[in-house]
Amino acid sequence: INNDKLNDQDIFLVSGIKNISKIDEIGNKKIIVFDYETHKILEQKNIIHMLSDNFLNDSDLLMIDKNSIQFSKWYDQTFVNDQIFFHNINLGELLGPKFLNYIVDFLKKFMELKYIFQSYRNASFHASSSLFPIIKLFTNNVSNIDKSDNKIFVKENIGLDLSVGRNNYLELNKGKFVSNIVSFLENILKIFTNKKFVSNQKTILLFNYTTKRNKKFLLNFPNFEMNFIKFDRNLPSMWNLDSFLTIQKSNCIIENYSSLINRDSKNQISERIFFIEKNINLIFLNNLFSNFFSIDGISFWPLIKDQLKIHFQKNLSRIIIEIYITKNLFAKYTFSHLLIWNESGINEKIAIHFAKQNGVKVSCSQHGLLYPTQPDLDNYLGSFPTLSDNFFVWGKINENYFKNIQTT
Protein backbone atom coordinates (compact mmCIF):
# COMPACT_ATOMS: atom_id res chain seq x y z
CA ILE A 1 0.00 0.00 0.00
CA ASN A 2 1.48 3.32 -1.07
CA ASN A 3 0.55 5.88 1.60
CA ASP A 4 1.43 8.71 -0.78
CA LYS A 5 -1.50 7.77 -3.02
CA LEU A 6 -4.06 7.64 -0.20
CA ASN A 7 -6.42 10.49 0.56
CA ASP A 8 -9.22 11.30 2.99
CA GLN A 9 -11.76 9.52 0.77
CA ASP A 10 -10.01 6.14 0.88
CA ILE A 11 -12.04 3.40 2.55
CA PHE A 12 -10.59 0.00 3.42
CA LEU A 13 -12.96 -2.99 3.36
CA VAL A 14 -11.30 -5.76 5.32
CA SER A 15 -12.14 -9.44 5.80
CA GLY A 16 -9.55 -11.90 7.07
CA ILE A 17 -6.55 -11.48 9.33
CA LYS A 18 -4.14 -11.78 6.37
CA ASN A 19 -4.56 -8.06 5.86
CA ILE A 20 -3.69 -7.04 9.44
CA SER A 21 -0.04 -6.26 8.64
CA LYS A 22 -1.16 -3.98 5.82
CA ILE A 23 -3.73 -2.25 8.02
CA ASP A 24 -0.89 -1.12 10.30
CA GLU A 25 0.39 0.95 7.36
CA ILE A 26 -2.91 2.72 6.71
CA GLY A 27 -2.81 5.15 9.61
CA ASN A 28 -6.04 6.97 10.33
CA LYS A 29 -7.92 5.98 7.18
CA LYS A 30 -11.49 4.71 7.42
CA ILE A 31 -11.58 0.94 7.94
CA ILE A 32 -14.69 -1.23 7.75
CA VAL A 33 -14.31 -4.78 9.07
CA PHE A 34 -16.45 -7.75 7.95
CA ASP A 35 -15.43 -10.50 10.37
CA TYR A 36 -15.26 -10.87 14.14
CA GLU A 37 -11.69 -12.16 14.41
CA THR A 38 -10.24 -9.17 12.56
CA HIS A 39 -12.41 -6.84 14.65
CA LYS A 40 -10.96 -8.26 17.90
CA ILE A 41 -7.38 -7.92 16.66
CA LEU A 42 -7.90 -4.31 15.59
CA GLU A 43 -9.56 -3.64 18.91
CA GLN A 44 -6.49 -4.97 20.74
CA LYS A 45 -4.25 -2.78 18.56
CA ASN A 46 -6.46 0.25 19.31
CA ILE A 47 -7.03 0.79 15.60
CA ILE A 48 -10.26 2.69 15.00
CA HIS A 49 -12.62 0.87 12.67
CA MET A 50 -16.30 0.35 11.81
CA LEU A 51 -18.26 -2.91 11.70
CA SER A 52 -20.02 -3.85 8.48
CA ASP A 53 -22.94 -5.15 10.59
CA ASN A 54 -23.82 -1.55 11.48
CA PHE A 55 -24.92 -0.87 7.91
CA LEU A 56 -27.82 -3.36 8.21
CA ASN A 57 -31.02 -3.13 10.23
CA ASP A 58 -33.54 -5.80 11.25
CA SER A 59 -35.56 -5.26 8.08
CA ASP A 60 -32.46 -5.89 5.95
CA LEU A 61 -31.66 -9.09 7.83
CA LEU A 62 -35.20 -10.38 7.34
CA MET A 63 -34.96 -9.58 3.63
CA ILE A 64 -31.64 -11.46 3.42
CA ASP A 65 -33.25 -14.51 5.05
CA LYS A 66 -36.19 -14.48 2.64
CA ASN A 67 -34.05 -13.94 -0.45
CA SER A 68 -31.62 -16.64 0.67
CA ILE A 69 -34.45 -19.18 0.73
CA GLN A 70 -35.62 -18.04 -2.70
CA PHE A 71 -32.13 -18.30 -4.22
CA SER A 72 -31.56 -21.68 -2.56
CA LYS A 73 -34.53 -22.98 -4.59
CA TRP A 74 -32.72 -22.45 -7.89
CA TYR A 75 -33.54 -26.06 -8.73
CA ASP A 76 -37.24 -25.18 -9.12
CA GLN A 77 -36.62 -22.99 -12.15
CA THR A 78 -38.47 -24.25 -15.24
CA PHE A 79 -35.37 -24.16 -17.44
CA VAL A 80 -33.69 -26.69 -15.12
CA ASN A 81 -36.58 -29.13 -15.79
CA ASP A 82 -35.89 -32.76 -14.88
CA GLN A 83 -32.17 -32.73 -15.62
CA ILE A 84 -31.22 -33.10 -11.96
CA PHE A 85 -33.81 -35.73 -10.99
CA PHE A 86 -32.89 -39.25 -9.96
CA HIS A 87 -35.65 -41.75 -9.14
CA ASN A 88 -38.08 -38.81 -9.04
CA ILE A 89 -35.98 -37.05 -6.39
CA ASN A 90 -34.81 -33.50 -7.07
CA LEU A 91 -31.09 -33.62 -6.24
CA GLY A 92 -30.89 -29.84 -5.99
CA GLU A 93 -33.62 -29.85 -3.37
CA LEU A 94 -31.65 -32.29 -1.21
CA LEU A 95 -28.65 -29.94 -1.24
CA GLY A 96 -30.62 -26.70 -0.94
CA PRO A 97 -30.24 -26.23 2.84
CA LYS A 98 -26.47 -26.70 2.56
CA PHE A 99 -26.24 -24.06 -0.15
CA LEU A 100 -28.34 -21.80 2.06
CA ASN A 101 -25.40 -21.44 4.47
CA TYR A 102 -23.26 -20.04 1.69
CA ILE A 103 -25.84 -17.75 0.10
CA VAL A 104 -26.82 -16.17 3.44
CA ASP A 105 -23.21 -15.18 4.06
CA PHE A 106 -22.83 -13.90 0.49
CA LEU A 107 -26.03 -11.83 0.55
CA LYS A 108 -25.09 -10.27 3.88
CA LYS A 109 -21.83 -9.02 2.36
CA PHE A 110 -23.66 -7.98 -0.83
CA MET A 111 -26.15 -5.80 1.08
CA GLU A 112 -23.50 -4.37 3.41
CA LEU A 113 -21.31 -3.35 0.48
CA LYS A 114 -24.30 -1.92 -1.35
CA TYR A 115 -25.13 0.37 1.58
CA ILE A 116 -21.47 1.23 2.16
CA PHE A 117 -21.14 2.32 -1.47
CA GLN A 118 -24.33 4.36 -1.24
CA SER A 119 -22.96 6.09 1.87
CA TYR A 120 -19.58 6.89 0.28
CA ARG A 121 -20.24 7.21 -3.44
CA ASN A 122 -17.21 9.41 -4.10
CA ALA A 123 -14.75 7.27 -2.14
CA SER A 124 -11.94 5.10 -3.41
CA PHE A 125 -12.30 1.58 -2.04
CA HIS A 126 -9.55 -0.88 -1.15
CA ALA A 127 -10.95 -4.35 -0.52
CA SER A 128 -9.87 -7.80 0.60
CA SER A 129 -10.00 -10.42 -2.14
CA SER A 130 -13.24 -11.98 -0.84
CA LEU A 131 -14.95 -8.57 -0.96
CA PHE A 132 -13.32 -7.13 -4.07
CA PRO A 133 -15.55 -8.80 -6.72
CA ILE A 134 -18.72 -7.86 -4.81
CA ILE A 135 -17.90 -4.14 -4.34
CA LYS A 136 -16.83 -4.09 -8.00
CA LEU A 137 -20.49 -4.73 -8.91
CA PHE A 138 -21.22 -1.21 -7.61
CA THR A 139 -18.10 0.75 -8.56
CA ASN A 140 -14.92 0.52 -10.61
CA ASN A 141 -13.12 2.80 -8.19
CA VAL A 142 -11.76 -0.12 -6.18
CA SER A 143 -8.44 -1.91 -5.75
CA ASN A 144 -7.60 -5.32 -4.32
CA ILE A 145 -5.63 -5.25 -1.05
CA ASP A 146 -4.20 -8.72 -1.64
CA LYS A 147 -4.13 -10.99 -4.65
CA SER A 148 -4.60 -14.27 -2.78
CA ASP A 149 -7.55 -16.49 -3.62
CA ASN A 150 -9.74 -15.82 -0.57
CA LYS A 151 -13.09 -16.97 -1.92
CA ILE A 152 -15.75 -18.25 0.45
CA PHE A 153 -16.54 -21.89 -0.20
CA VAL A 154 -19.27 -24.00 1.30
CA LYS A 155 -17.57 -25.78 4.17
CA GLU A 156 -17.50 -29.55 4.07
CA ASN A 157 -16.45 -32.14 6.67
CA ILE A 158 -13.88 -34.25 4.88
CA GLY A 159 -12.08 -36.09 7.65
CA LEU A 160 -12.66 -39.42 9.32
CA ASP A 161 -11.88 -39.70 13.01
CA LEU A 162 -12.39 -43.20 14.39
CA SER A 163 -11.29 -42.29 17.91
CA VAL A 164 -13.75 -42.94 20.72
CA GLY A 165 -14.43 -39.94 22.95
CA ARG A 166 -15.07 -39.75 26.67
CA ASN A 167 -18.70 -40.76 26.17
CA ASN A 168 -17.76 -43.77 24.05
CA TYR A 169 -19.28 -42.23 20.93
CA LEU A 170 -17.63 -42.91 17.63
CA GLU A 171 -16.76 -39.61 16.00
CA LEU A 172 -17.29 -39.73 12.28
CA ASN A 173 -17.24 -36.87 9.80
CA LYS A 174 -19.56 -37.54 6.88
CA GLY A 175 -17.83 -35.63 4.07
CA LYS A 176 -16.01 -38.70 2.71
CA PHE A 177 -18.01 -41.40 4.41
CA VAL A 178 -16.06 -44.66 4.07
CA SER A 179 -19.20 -46.75 4.39
CA ASN A 180 -17.55 -49.81 2.89
CA ILE A 181 -15.11 -50.07 5.83
CA VAL A 182 -17.81 -49.53 8.46
CA SER A 183 -20.16 -51.93 6.69
CA PHE A 184 -17.45 -54.58 6.49
CA LEU A 185 -17.03 -54.47 10.28
CA GLU A 186 -20.78 -54.51 10.82
CA ASN A 187 -21.21 -57.47 8.49
CA ILE A 188 -18.81 -59.51 10.60
CA LEU A 189 -20.67 -58.62 13.80
CA LYS A 190 -24.08 -59.21 12.19
CA ILE A 191 -23.34 -62.93 12.13
CA PHE A 192 -23.63 -62.91 15.92
CA THR A 193 -26.54 -60.48 16.26
CA ASN A 194 -29.15 -60.64 13.52
CA LYS A 195 -32.33 -62.51 14.23
CA LYS A 196 -34.19 -64.18 11.37
CA PHE A 197 -36.82 -62.23 9.47
CA VAL A 198 -40.37 -63.43 10.21
CA SER A 199 -42.53 -62.96 7.12
CA ASN A 200 -45.93 -62.86 8.86
CA GLN A 201 -44.94 -60.05 11.27
CA LYS A 202 -45.07 -56.30 10.76
CA THR A 203 -41.77 -54.72 9.75
CA ILE A 204 -40.59 -51.41 11.21
CA LEU A 205 -37.71 -49.38 9.77
CA LEU A 206 -35.63 -47.38 12.26
CA PHE A 207 -33.69 -44.76 10.36
CA ASN A 208 -30.57 -43.29 12.02
CA TYR A 209 -31.63 -44.30 15.53
CA THR A 210 -28.19 -44.20 17.17
CA THR A 211 -27.55 -47.34 19.22
CA LYS A 212 -26.13 -45.77 22.38
CA ARG A 213 -28.55 -42.84 22.53
CA ASN A 214 -31.56 -45.12 22.06
CA LYS A 215 -30.30 -48.08 24.09
CA LYS A 216 -33.33 -48.32 26.45
CA PHE A 217 -35.71 -47.98 23.52
CA LEU A 218 -33.99 -50.73 21.52
CA LEU A 219 -33.87 -53.14 24.44
CA ASN A 220 -37.68 -53.13 24.60
CA PHE A 221 -38.02 -54.59 21.10
CA PRO A 222 -38.02 -58.29 22.16
CA ASN A 223 -41.35 -57.59 23.91
CA PHE A 224 -43.03 -57.11 20.53
CA GLU A 225 -43.64 -59.60 17.74
CA MET A 226 -42.29 -57.41 14.98
CA ASN A 227 -39.33 -57.22 12.63
CA PHE A 228 -37.17 -54.21 13.46
CA ILE A 229 -34.82 -53.18 10.65
CA LYS A 230 -32.07 -50.82 11.81
CA PHE A 231 -30.51 -48.68 9.09
CA ASP A 232 -27.84 -46.18 10.16
CA ARG A 233 -26.13 -43.74 7.81
CA ASN A 234 -24.69 -41.19 10.27
CA LEU A 235 -22.95 -43.56 12.69
CA PRO A 236 -22.27 -47.31 12.61
CA SER A 237 -24.78 -49.51 14.38
CA MET A 238 -22.01 -51.23 16.34
CA TRP A 239 -18.54 -50.02 17.23
CA ASN A 240 -17.80 -51.29 20.77
CA LEU A 241 -18.87 -54.07 23.13
CA ASP A 242 -21.77 -52.10 24.61
CA SER A 243 -23.31 -51.27 21.23
CA PHE A 244 -22.74 -54.85 20.04
CA LEU A 245 -24.55 -56.29 23.08
CA THR A 246 -27.37 -53.76 22.70
CA ILE A 247 -27.99 -54.79 19.10
CA GLN A 248 -27.74 -58.46 20.02
CA LYS A 249 -30.34 -58.13 22.80
CA SER A 250 -32.66 -55.90 20.74
CA ASN A 251 -33.18 -58.53 18.01
CA CYS A 252 -32.72 -55.83 15.38
CA ILE A 253 -31.88 -56.77 11.81
CA ILE A 254 -28.98 -54.63 10.60
CA GLU A 255 -28.90 -53.33 7.03
CA ASN A 256 -26.10 -51.26 5.57
CA TYR A 257 -24.21 -50.32 2.41
CA SER A 258 -22.68 -53.75 1.82
CA SER A 259 -25.96 -55.61 2.22
CA LEU A 260 -27.84 -53.37 -0.19
CA ILE A 261 -25.48 -52.86 -3.10
CA ASN A 262 -23.76 -55.13 -5.61
CA ARG A 263 -21.45 -54.82 -8.62
CA ASP A 264 -24.29 -54.14 -11.06
CA SER A 265 -25.58 -51.37 -8.82
CA LYS A 266 -22.13 -49.79 -8.67
CA ASN A 267 -21.92 -49.75 -12.47
CA GLN A 268 -25.37 -48.18 -12.74
CA ILE A 269 -24.43 -45.57 -10.15
CA SER A 270 -21.26 -44.62 -12.05
CA GLU A 271 -23.19 -44.26 -15.31
CA ARG A 272 -25.86 -42.14 -13.64
CA ILE A 273 -23.33 -39.86 -11.95
CA PHE A 274 -21.60 -39.27 -15.32
CA PHE A 275 -24.94 -38.46 -16.99
CA ILE A 276 -26.06 -36.02 -14.28
CA GLU A 277 -22.66 -34.27 -14.15
CA LYS A 278 -22.94 -33.72 -17.90
CA ASN A 279 -26.38 -32.14 -17.39
CA ILE A 280 -25.04 -29.97 -14.58
CA ASN A 281 -22.33 -28.51 -16.82
CA LEU A 282 -25.01 -27.54 -19.34
CA ILE A 283 -27.31 -26.09 -16.67
CA PHE A 284 -24.64 -23.78 -15.26
CA LEU A 285 -23.81 -22.44 -18.70
CA ASN A 286 -27.40 -21.19 -18.92
CA ASN A 287 -27.52 -17.38 -18.90
CA LEU A 288 -31.06 -17.50 -17.53
CA PHE A 289 -29.52 -17.85 -14.07
CA SER A 290 -28.20 -14.29 -14.47
CA ASN A 291 -31.74 -12.96 -14.17
CA PHE A 292 -32.64 -15.29 -11.31
CA PHE A 293 -29.60 -14.51 -9.15
CA SER A 294 -30.01 -10.73 -9.02
CA ILE A 295 -31.13 -8.00 -6.62
CA ASP A 296 -32.33 -4.58 -7.76
CA GLY A 297 -31.24 -5.38 -11.30
CA ILE A 298 -27.68 -6.28 -10.27
CA SER A 299 -26.78 -9.89 -11.12
CA PHE A 300 -24.29 -11.70 -8.91
CA TRP A 301 -24.52 -14.99 -10.82
CA PRO A 302 -20.90 -14.77 -12.14
CA LEU A 303 -19.68 -14.54 -8.52
CA ILE A 304 -21.51 -17.59 -7.17
CA LYS A 305 -21.72 -19.82 -10.26
CA ASP A 306 -18.54 -21.76 -9.50
CA GLN A 307 -19.46 -22.11 -5.83
CA LEU A 308 -22.86 -23.61 -6.60
CA LYS A 309 -21.42 -25.97 -9.21
CA ILE A 310 -18.61 -27.16 -6.92
CA HIS A 311 -21.02 -27.59 -4.02
CA PHE A 312 -23.38 -29.66 -6.17
CA GLN A 313 -20.73 -31.85 -7.78
CA LYS A 314 -18.88 -32.44 -4.51
CA ASN A 315 -21.97 -34.04 -2.95
CA LEU A 316 -23.42 -35.71 -6.05
CA SER A 317 -21.78 -39.14 -5.77
CA ARG A 318 -22.71 -39.60 -2.11
CA ILE A 319 -26.33 -38.60 -2.71
CA ILE A 320 -26.73 -40.92 -5.71
CA ILE A 321 -25.37 -43.80 -3.60
CA GLU A 322 -27.71 -42.97 -0.70
CA ILE A 323 -30.71 -42.91 -3.04
CA TYR A 324 -29.70 -46.21 -4.57
CA ILE A 325 -29.23 -48.15 -1.34
CA THR A 326 -32.37 -46.66 0.27
CA LYS A 327 -34.40 -47.63 -2.80
CA ASN A 328 -32.98 -51.17 -2.57
CA LEU A 329 -33.88 -51.28 1.14
CA PHE A 330 -37.52 -50.47 0.40
CA ALA A 331 -37.52 -53.06 -2.38
CA LYS A 332 -36.12 -55.70 0.00
CA TYR A 333 -38.81 -55.29 2.69
CA THR A 334 -42.49 -54.40 2.87
CA PHE A 335 -42.42 -51.91 5.71
CA SER A 336 -45.37 -51.06 7.92
CA HIS A 337 -43.77 -47.97 9.39
CA LEU A 338 -40.75 -45.67 9.11
CA LEU A 339 -39.36 -44.03 12.27
CA ILE A 340 -37.15 -40.94 11.83
CA TRP A 341 -35.64 -38.28 14.09
CA ASN A 342 -36.06 -35.34 11.72
CA GLU A 343 -37.17 -34.31 8.25
CA SER A 344 -34.19 -32.06 7.57
CA GLY A 345 -31.38 -34.55 6.89
CA ILE A 346 -30.56 -35.60 3.33
CA ASN A 347 -30.85 -39.29 4.20
CA GLU A 348 -34.14 -38.74 6.00
CA LYS A 349 -35.59 -36.86 3.02
CA ILE A 350 -34.65 -39.76 0.75
CA ALA A 351 -36.22 -42.29 3.14
CA ILE A 352 -39.42 -40.24 3.40
CA HIS A 353 -39.63 -40.07 -0.41
CA PHE A 354 -39.54 -43.86 -0.78
CA ALA A 355 -41.87 -44.33 2.20
CA LYS A 356 -44.49 -42.10 0.55
CA GLN A 357 -43.94 -43.84 -2.76
CA ASN A 358 -44.57 -47.23 -1.15
CA GLY A 359 -47.48 -46.18 1.07
CA VAL A 360 -45.47 -46.53 4.29
CA LYS A 361 -46.54 -44.46 7.31
CA VAL A 362 -43.88 -42.07 8.65
CA SER A 363 -43.45 -41.06 12.30
CA CYS A 364 -41.02 -38.42 13.54
CA SER A 365 -39.72 -38.26 17.13
CA GLN A 366 -39.07 -34.98 18.90
CA HIS A 367 -35.29 -34.65 19.03
CA GLY A 368 -34.81 -31.43 20.96
CA LEU A 369 -36.40 -28.22 22.22
CA LEU A 370 -37.82 -26.82 19.00
CA TYR A 371 -39.14 -23.30 18.60
CA PRO A 372 -40.45 -21.46 15.53
CA THR A 373 -38.39 -18.71 13.88
CA GLN A 374 -39.83 -17.87 10.45
CA PRO A 375 -42.50 -20.11 8.92
CA ASP A 376 -40.88 -20.11 5.46
CA LEU A 377 -37.44 -20.86 6.92
CA ASP A 378 -38.76 -23.55 9.26
CA ASN A 379 -40.58 -25.26 6.39
CA TYR A 380 -37.57 -25.04 4.10
CA LEU A 381 -35.13 -26.47 6.64
CA GLY A 382 -37.55 -29.12 7.91
CA SER A 383 -37.29 -27.75 11.45
CA PHE A 384 -40.84 -28.90 12.18
CA PRO A 385 -42.34 -32.09 10.74
CA THR A 386 -44.72 -31.46 7.85
CA LEU A 387 -44.23 -34.67 5.84
CA SER A 388 -44.64 -37.18 8.68
CA ASP A 389 -47.96 -38.82 9.48
CA ASN A 390 -47.24 -38.73 13.23
CA PHE A 391 -45.06 -36.64 15.54
CA PHE A 392 -44.04 -38.18 18.87
CA VAL A 393 -43.38 -35.54 21.54
CA TRP A 394 -42.21 -35.44 25.16
CA GLY A 395 -45.19 -35.04 27.47
CA LYS A 396 -48.42 -33.06 27.52
CA ILE A 397 -46.77 -29.63 27.60
CA ASN A 398 -44.93 -30.31 24.34
CA GLU A 399 -48.07 -31.84 22.83
CA ASN A 400 -50.09 -28.67 23.51
CA TYR A 401 -47.18 -26.47 22.36
CA PHE A 402 -46.84 -28.15 18.96
CA LYS A 403 -50.59 -28.28 18.45
CA ASN A 404 -50.66 -24.52 19.06
CA ILE A 405 -47.85 -23.97 16.53
CA GLN A 406 -49.76 -25.93 13.90
CA THR A 407 -52.83 -23.74 14.29
CA THR A 408 -50.97 -20.39 14.24
Side-chain angles (χ1 to χ4, degrees):
I1 298 174
N2 189 340
N3 283 315
D4 296 334
K5 294 183 179 180
L6 299 180
N7 56 60
D8 292 336
Q9 292 299 314
D10 285 287
I11 296 177
F12 288 80
L13 310 171
V14 182
S15 176
I17 59 175
K18 290 182 180 179
N19 303 301
I20 292 298
S21 59
K22 298 179 182 180
I23 288 177
D24 288 334
E25 305 172 17
I26 294 172
N28 295 321
K29 299 300 177 182
K30 190 179 291 295
I31 302 170
I32 303 175
V33 175
F34 286 73
D35 68 288
Y36 179 76
E37 190 172 2
T38 305
H39 157 64
K40 293 304 293 182
I41 293 175
L42 293 186
E43 200 173 46
Q44 292 170 4
K45 289 174 173 276
N46 294 318
I47 297 177
I48 298 174
H49 60 282
M50 300 172 64
L51 300 179
S52 63
D53 291 354
N54 294 337
F55 288 85
L56 300 178
N57 57 36
D58 290 343
S59 176
D60 295 321
L61 295 175
L62 184 61
M63 184 273 290
I64 289 171
D65 278 348
K66 289 184 176 296
N67 281 343
S68 298
I69 295 171
Q70 174 192 334
F71 293 132
S72 294
K73 294 181 179 179
W74 60 269
Y75 48 80
D76 281 339
Q77 296 302 296
T78 54
F79 55 83
V80 174
N81 294 321
D82 60 350
Q83 298 180 71
I84 55 172
F85 275 76
F86 183 57
H87 287 299
N88 295 319
I89 297 178
N90 189 319
L91 303 178
E93 185 175 359
L94 291 180
L95 291 171
K98 272 197 168 185
F99 181 64
L100 180 66
N101 295 332
Y102 166 76
I103 200 66
V104 165
D105 186 69
F106 177 87
L107 288 184
K108 180 176 180 291
K109 288 184 172 64
F110 179 94
M111 295 305 299
E112 288 169 343
L113 290 168
K114 174 187 173 182
Y115 290 136
I116 289 169
F117 169 70
Q118 290 175 348
S119 300
Y120 306 98
R121 287 183 180 274
N122 298 320
S124 296
F125 295 97
H126 309 272
S128 300
S129 344
S130 61
L131 303 172
F132 175 76
I134 307 177
I135 187 64
K136 199 164 172 55
L137 293 173
F138 304 101
T139 176
N140 288 321
N141 195 9
V142 56
S143 64
N144 197 337
I145 293 177
D146 56 70
K147 302 297 182 182
S148 62
D149 185 8
N150 194 24
K151 294 180 182 178
I152 303 171
F153 284 86
V154 179
K155 293 182 179 180
E156 300 286 348
N157 290 327
I158 58 173
L160 177 68
D161 183 4
L162 293 177
S163 60
V164 177
R166 286 180 298 176
N167 296 321
N168 294 320
Y169 283 104
L170 184 68
E171 298 173 6
L172 186 64
N173 289 334
K174 293 170 55 182
K176 291 184 178 178
F177 186 78
V178 285
S179 54
N180 54 339
I181 297 176
V182 175
S183 296
F184 174 75
L185 296 174
E186 284 187 341
N187 285 339
I188 295 175
L189 295 175
K190 279 198 303 185
I191 300 172
F192 306 99
T193 59
N194 271 3
K195 77 156 192 170
K196 290 184 178 180
F197 180 82
V198 182
S199 59
N200 62 350
Q201 292 181 353
K202 289 185 176 181
T203 304
I204 311 297
L205 173 59
L206 292 105
F207 203 95
N208 281 335
Y209 269 69
T210 310
T211 304
K212 185 174 179 63
R213 182 181 298 166
N214 298 282
K215 180 177 179 179
K216 291 183 179 179
F217 180 53
L218 299 175
L219 291 178
N220 278 298
F221 289 178
N223 297 325
F224 302 91
E225 293 184 352
M226 295 181 180
N227 298 303
F228 291 96
I229 311 298
K230 196 170 187 301
F231 187 56
D232 296 299
R233 301 304 298 151
N234 292 335
L235 288 171
S237 299
M238 297 172 280
W239 63 86
N240 59 13
L241 180 61
D242 183 54
S243 59
F244 168 76
L245 293 175
T246 300
I247 295 298
Q248 188 179 52
K249 294 174 183 177
S250 71
N251 288 338
C252 284
I253 297 175
I254 304 299
E255 292 288 352
N256 54 31
Y257 174 87
S258 298
S259 64
L260 295 168
I261 205 164
N262 54 37
R263 182 173 296 179
D264 290 339
S265 296
K266 291 178 181 179
N267 292 334
Q268 292 176 25
I269 289 172
S270 298
E271 292 173 2
R272 193 61 185 179
I273 291 172
F274 174 79
F275 176 75
I276 293 176
E277 283 185 336
K278 187 177 179 180
N279 285 341
I280 291 170
N281 290 328
L282 295 175
I283 289 171
F284 291 125
L285 289 174
N286 198 324
N287 289 328
L288 292 174
F289 271 127
S290 295
N291 296 326
F292 176 71
F293 287 104
S294 65
I295 294 178
D296 297 333
I298 300 176
S299 175
F300 52 87
W301 171 238
L303 304 187
I304 69 165
K305 176 172 62 175
D306 291 341
Q307 306 294 336
L308 180 56
K309 183 178 178 180
I310 290 170
H311 166 65
F312 194 93
Q313 291 180 326
K314 184 179 290 185
N315 292 278
L316 180 62
S317 298
R318 181 174 70 88
I319 287 179
I320 294 294
I321 291 172
E322 295 301 330
I323 291 174
Y324 231 103
I325 61 177
T326 307
K327 178 179 179 293
N328 290 346
L329 178 65
F330 276 84
K332 187 172 183 178
Y333 299 97
T334 302
F335 293 112
S336 306
H337 221 96
L338 165 65
L339 293 180
I340 57 172
W341 274 110
N342 64 77
E343 294 182 358
S344 57
I346 290 176
N347 296 91
E348 282 74 12
K349 289 179 179 178
I350 294 171
I352 292 170
H353 168 82
F354 286 111
K356 297 292 184 181
Q357 193 176 75
N358 290 275
V360 178
K361 293 287 185 181
V362 180
S363 290
C364 182
S365 298
Q366 183 184 351
H367 56 281
L369 298 176
L370 308 177
Y371 60 92
T373 52
Q374 298 171 217
D376 52 349
L377 184 62
D378 290 333
N379 290 336
Y380 183 67
L381 295 177
S383 302
F384 291 87
T386 58
L387 302 174
S388 301
D389 300 289
N390 304 294
F391 185 36
F392 299 141
V393 299
W394 303 334
K396 197 68 179 177
I397 294 177
N398 280 296
E399 181 184 2
N400 293 333
Y401 171 66
F402 287 111
K403 282 182 177 179
N404 181 60
I405 290 176
Q406 286 182 324
T407 58
T408 57

